[in-house]
Amino acid sequence: MRVLNIAVAAALIGGASYAYAQQMSSEEFVTMAASSDLFEVQSGQLAAKNSKEASVQQFAEMMVADHKKGKPGAEGCRRRS
């Protein structure tokens, strides 16, 4: 039952995000995407530093690397908009 509740919540949030994304400007989208990447990088760094589990540290490092890749694209979009 808990998994079903999580799935329903995720679907509702995803739908709301899509609807909001249709109404936001390019500048708002780039700002939100950059903010999201920064949050993921900082969260990953915190998890990698504080976790004692190797699998958590490995996932956190992957998350940091993946979300740092988004920065050049976001900067490029910001300069063009």
Side-chain angles (χ1 to χ4, degrees):
M1 185 67 173
R2 183 168 186 238
V3 173
L4 180 61
N5 289 340
I6 292 170
V8 170
L12 291 173
I13 290 170
S17 298
Y18 177 78
Y20 179 68
Q22 298 300 311
Q23 299 173 0
M24 74 172 65
S25 69
S26 296
E27 186 176 305
E28 289 172 320
F29 174 80
V30 170
T31 300
M32 190 171 94
S35 176
S36 175
D37 274 343
L38 180 61
F39 173 78
E40 296 291 341
V41 168
Q42 290 175 339
S43 297
Q45 289 170 336
L46 189 62
K49 177 182 172 187
N50 294 327
S51 178
K52 293 180 180 17
E53 294 288 328
S55 61
V56 172
Q57 290 173 341
Q58 185 178 19
F59 179 79
E61 290 167 4
M62 181 185 67
M63 192 167 77
V64 169
D66 287 350
H67 285 277
K68 281 187 173 182
K69 288 179 190 175
K71 285 188 176 184
E75 290 300 318
C77 290
R78 191 174 295 135
R79 282 192 296 268
R80 282 180 273 184
S81 60

